[in-house]
Amino acid sequence: MFSREIVKDGGPTRIFIGGVHGKEGLTTINLIKKLKDDDVDDGKLLLYNCPESKYISTLDPHYYQSTMGKKILKIINTYKPTIYVELHCYKPESYC
């Protein structure tokens, strides 16, 4: 799992996590790696990108029993973010 922290004084704790299921991480890593220290004015931005994993919808309660789901819950419980964002990507045929 790729991870990086940008830490500034004060402000909220934010978590951006990409690639939470399937092959999404192959695409979401491109955005996550582009974020720079100067993109954060205050607070903490924790960036994560997950490796390829079996696709299980994050809306499926079983997801949080999977290895990746457990890792994500541990991150959330450890940092208790003010803001949590999952970065997803879709195949063109999924846009409808």
Side-chain angles (χ1 to χ4, degrees), residues 2-4 27-36 39 47 49 87:
F2 173 86
S3 67
R4 184 169 158 243
T27 302
T28 56
I29 189 69
N30 297 323
L31 172 65
I32 287 175
K33 284 189 171 182
K34 286 184 180 183
L35 293 168
K36 307 261 186 281
D39 293 327
L47 302 164
N49 198 72
L87 305 173

Side-chain angles (χ1 to χ4, degrees), residues 17-83:
I17 188 165
V20 298
H21 47 206
K23 295 182 180 183
E24 287 181 328
L26 299 173
T27 302
T28 56
I29 189 69
N30 297 323
L31 172 65
I32 287 175
K33 284 189 171 182
K34 286 184 180 183
L35 293 168
K36 307 261 186 281
D37 288 5
D38 291 341
D39 293 327
V40 176
D41 291 330
D42 62 1
K44 186 182 294 185
L45 176 59
L46 307 168
L47 302 164
Y48 293 93
N49 198 72
C50 303
E52 186 175 338
S53 63
K54 179 181 176 186
Y55 181 90
I56 303 172
S57 172
T58 54
L59 299 176
D60 182 338
H62 293 102
Y63 178 81
Y64 296 97
Q65 296 171 7
S66 72
T67 301
M68 195 57 59
K70 288 178 184 178
K71 285 181 185 180
I72 291 170
L73 287 176
K74 183 176 180 182
I75 290 167
I76 292 169
N77 287 322
T78 298
Y79 293 102
K80 297 179 181 18
T82 307
I83 300 167

